[in-house]
Amino acid sequence: MRDIAVLPRLDSGSFLSSLLVIFISIVLVACTPTQAPAESHLKKVLRIVPQADLGKIDPVWTTATVTFNHANMIYDTLFGIDANGQISNQMLETYEISKDKKSWTFTLRDGLEFHDGMPVTSEDVIASIQRWGARDTVGRRLMSFVVSWKAMSPKTFQMILSEPYGFVLESLWLPFVMPKRVADTPADMEITDTTGSGPFVYLKEERKQGEKVVYVRNTKYRPRSEPASGTAGAKVVKVDRVEWIIIEDSQTAINALISGEVDLIEAPAFEQYPTLESNRDIRMIVINPLGGQFALRFNHLIPPFDNPRVRQAAMAALNQPAFLQTLGAPAWFHTCFSIYPCNSPYFTSQGMDFIANPNLKRAHQLLMESGYDGTPVVLMQATDQTALTKLPGVASQLLRQAGFKVKMQSMDWQTLVSRREKKEGWNIFMTSTGAVTVMNPVSSFYLDATCYPKGWPGWPCDPELERLRDAFARADDDKTRKLIAEQVQARAVEIGAYVPLGEYKTARAVRKTVTGLLAGYSMVLWNVEKQ
């Protein structure tokens, strides 16, 4: 209802005065602004095409990047990591370390509140870390050093270690903090409650599988005061609503970006980079300067790759340049014959002969010597991942040339993520991960050799590799760590833990009306503005 202006009372006997009253009233009503619908007048909506649809919502349950991006929207973390890989307080105000480095005391900052209005407490944090630590490869390593956790007050908690551990901060920037009632869910069960304390709120009721995922700004979130970088600093949300629009066909997504129907594409197809770069309304932005690594993962539990000789035969057949050449945009890829990123402190070529010097004849000979009986290799292919969809075809061809029988099965990424959690029904899948997650023997989930069901899908089981990773975690000088990292790599290749397939950098395709996209190890959408 509009407010009506009250005019001075005029003499009712004056005809001219009456006309004046009517005229002024009409003018005032005509000039009163019409209230626009809230959606168009008030809300700024950012629409993006994510790299895949959101299937799993539990970041403890899966390492899928799309789930990790979802978690960054709705949860917060104790520490943030900036664009340069530096770790700093996020939910924490302070932390203190005892002289013997076995006692760590953490204090939460003021103003932390879950989406349901409840304050974030020490008990919430401890429960979240313990659930994460029961399943995550980095978390399990940390927890093997933890003697106890103690909530000293609603805002202060303590971690006691059995001995000093050099990767505490490198571990504790990873777990997302949930309410205790949610974090008490056993780690082998997926959560259904998405209550967090992060800068966005997930609208579960607007979720449409295969179509849309919706988030709105958390108006109660209190950001830090430091400049934003990566997941560190101020998480200031500058739009009212974010919609993930699911478009599986890459050309359809490009058309939607060019027409302005969407504002950003997280993972455009590499062969479309030239078209996007030539469009004056679009910018190509590299947000992760460290890039990432492609990888092939064997299922170590069932034939034929339960046999290490068969894994070695496959490794001898696989050829990094062959994989990378299929992707287009060659400037965005390079070979790297190391399990650690080529620009990282632990890069080494130690033990990489099978991967650096592929040889189909040697592969064929090793396969014959292994006793391979012709068991078909089930190779899973993700059809909705612009790069990963091409790699399985190359693997299939090379493995067949070496003498394997291959059965390639196509599916969307979320189906693949679900199927790889099962110990049977598959033999190989291809994936990729940011370089920050494979920087060292402790952080790399590919190197977890703690056996089924504890490890990451593929489940290598090797006490020697685990012994070396423990030694790396205990080492307190760079020279020793470098030596152990080389030994870890040699052992990982010897047992065929996984096969690195080269490195890449990617760009987000963004309309020029969108600004503020932050550099870092993953895509975050705070600090983003839309004109």
Side-chain angles (χ1 to χ4, degrees):
M1 180 178 179
R2 295 188 184 94
D3 292 332
I4 300 177
V6 179
L7 300 176
R9 182 179 180 87
L10 299 177
D11 185 272
S12 58
S14 170
F15 177 73
L16 291 176
S17 296
S18 298
L19 285 178
L20 180 62
V21 169
I22 295 171
F23 175 77
I24 293 173
S25 298
I26 292 172
V27 170
L28 285 174
V29 170
C31 293
T32 301
T34 302
Q35 184 175 354
E39 180 71 20
S40 61
H41 183 63
L42 297 178
K43 291 187 176 180
K44 285 191 175 182
V45 182
L46 181 70
R47 295 181 175 88
I48 77 165
V49 179
Q51 62 168 260
D53 196 4
L54 178 66
K56 303 289 185 180
I57 61 170
D58 189 344
V60 171
W61 184 260
T62 179
T63 57
T65 300
V66 66
T67 303
F68 191 75
N69 289 345
H70 160 79
N72 268 323
M73 298 282 282
I74 66 173
Y75 299 113
D76 217 342
T77 53
L78 294 178
F79 296 94
I81 183 169
D82 69 16
N84 298 313
Q86 298 300 308
I87 297 171
S88 60
N89 290 344
Q90 185 53 238
M91 297 179 76
L92 293 177
E93 185 65 36
T94 62
Y95 66 91
E96 298 178 357
I97 312 170
S98 63
K99 289 184 179 180
D100 64 4
K101 299 183 180 180
K102 294 195 294 185
S103 176
W104 292 64
T105 303
F106 306 89
T107 301
L108 296 170
R109 64 186 176 95
D110 293 333
L112 300 178
E113 182 179 304
F114 287 113
H115 298 154
D116 59 7
M118 298 299 292
V120 179
T121 69
S122 297
E123 291 188 350
D124 298 312
V125 175
I126 291 172
S128 297
I129 294 173
Q130 289 178 324
R131 181 171 186 267
W132 163 80
R135 187 175 177 93
D136 184 88
T137 57
V138 175
R140 289 202 309 273
R141 185 74 51 182
L142 171 66
M143 297 299 281
S144 70
F145 287 82
V146 175
V147 174
S148 65
W149 295 93
K150 182 180 179 181
M152 303 175 71
S153 76
K155 287 180 57 181
T156 303
F157 59 100
Q158 192 174 63
M159 176 183 69
I160 305 297
L161 303 177
S162 58
E163 59 183 286
Y165 181 59
F167 289 88
V168 171
L169 300 187
E170 289 84 353
S171 302
L172 288 181
W173 70 268
L174 289 166
F176 295 99
V177 175
M178 307 172 180
K180 184 178 185 299
R181 60 180 168 79
V182 179
D184 282 342
T185 304
D188 59 354
M189 293 176 57
E190 295 182 69
I191 62 169
T192 57
D193 188 324
T194 56
T195 303
S197 65
F200 292 92
V201 179
Y202 171 56
L203 297 188
K204 189 175 183 178
E205 66 276 11
E206 293 197 38
R207 171 73 168 115
K208 293 183 179 180
Q209 193 75 29
E211 295 183 24
K212 185 167 65 173
V213 186
V214 179
Y215 307 87
V216 294
R217 180 167 59 92
N218 178 7
T219 58
K220 296 181 179 180
Y221 184 78
R222 293 178 61 179
R224 296 187 68 89
S225 59
E226 300 90 343
S229 177
T231 60
K235 298 180 179 179
V236 178
V237 176
K238 300 180 179 180
V239 295
D240 299 287
R241 179 181 172 98
V242 174
E243 295 179 357
W244 291 8
I245 308 300
I246 312 305
I247 305 177
E248 293 188 1
D249 180 73
S250 60
Q251 186 58 56
T252 302
I254 297 300
N255 293 341
L257 182 69
I258 292 173
S259 67
E261 296 174 54
V262 298
D263 304 298
L264 182 153
I265 299 177
E266 181 186 0
F270 288 105
E271 62 266 23
Q272 293 173 326
Y273 276 28
T275 299
L276 292 166
E277 289 171 326
S278 66
N279 190 298
R280 64 182 182 181
D281 295 323
I282 295 169
R283 291 178 297 148
M284 299 295 283
I285 302 177
V286 177
I287 68 165
N288 181 5
L290 292 176
Q293 182 189 86
F294 292 120
L296 181 146
R297 187 71 161 181
F298 301 114
N299 186 341
H300 291 235
L301 298 183
I302 62 173
F305 295 119
D306 58 340
N307 182 338
R309 295 288 281 178
V310 177
R311 295 196 296 270
Q312 288 181 345
M315 293 169 70
L318 299 172
N319 184 324
Q320 279 196 16
F323 286 99
L324 300 181
Q325 288 167 9
T326 68
L327 297 174
W332 295 83
F333 306 96
H334 63 267
T335 59
C336 181
F337 304 117
S338 171
I339 63 173
Y340 313 113
C342 276
N343 60 349
S344 71
Y346 298 113
F347 164 77
T348 175
S349 59
Q350 184 72 30
M352 296 295 287
D353 177 61
F354 276 103
I355 297 168
N357 300 292
N359 187 314
L360 283 171
K361 289 184 178 179
R362 177 169 62 175
H364 186 72
Q365 182 63 32
L366 286 169
L367 191 61
M368 291 180 60
E369 294 172 358
S370 73
Y372 172 66
D373 62 0
T375 300
V377 172
V378 177
L379 196 166
M380 296 192 292
Q381 177 195 33
T383 57
D384 56 344
Q385 292 275 334
T386 54
L388 296 182
T389 191
K390 296 183 177 182
L391 301 184
V394 179
S396 176
Q397 180 182 7
L398 293 173
L399 290 173
R400 286 191 176 105
Q401 290 175 357
F404 286 92
K405 292 183 179 179
V406 181
K407 183 179 181 182
M408 194 160 70
Q409 296 183 353
S410 300
M411 62 201 74
D412 62 46
W413 178 244
Q414 291 305 322
T415 301
L416 190 153
V417 168
S418 296
R419 282 191 57 182
R420 75 185 186 187
E421 295 289 339
K422 300 175 182 179
K423 66 178 182 179
E424 297 180 339
W426 65 273
N427 300 109
I428 289 177
F429 70 89
M430 327 286 277
T431 188
S432 63
T433 189
V436 70
T437 63
V438 292
M439 294 289 280
N440 63 66
V442 170
S443 67
S444 178
F445 49 83
Y446 294 139
L447 300 177
D448 187 318
T450 53
C451 312
Y452 179 84
K454 291 183 178 180
W456 197 70
W459 305 285
C461 188
D462 188 69
E464 175 60 14
L465 183 53
E466 285 301 295
R467 184 192 69 78
L468 289 169
R469 295 177 75 217
D470 273 336
F472 181 89
R474 289 181 167 87
D476 57 5
D477 67 273
D478 289 339
K479 183 178 179 180
T480 302
R481 285 181 174 176
K482 176 72 173 176
L483 178 61
I484 297 172
E486 291 180 351
Q487 295 171 342
V488 167
Q489 176 165 288
R491 183 61 181 174
V493 175
E494 182 181 355
I495 69 167
Y498 82 106
V499 186
L501 298 179
E503 295 186 348
Y504 63 90
K505 287 188 178 180
T506 59
R508 312 307 188 210
V510 186
R511 290 190 63 82
K512 289 184 178 178
T513 52
V514 173
T515 59
L517 200 64
L518 292 170
Y521 67 94
S522 65
M523 185 179 69
V524 296
L525 296 175
W526 53 82
N527 200 60
V528 175
E529 295 185 79
K530 179 179 175 181
Q531 297 177 3

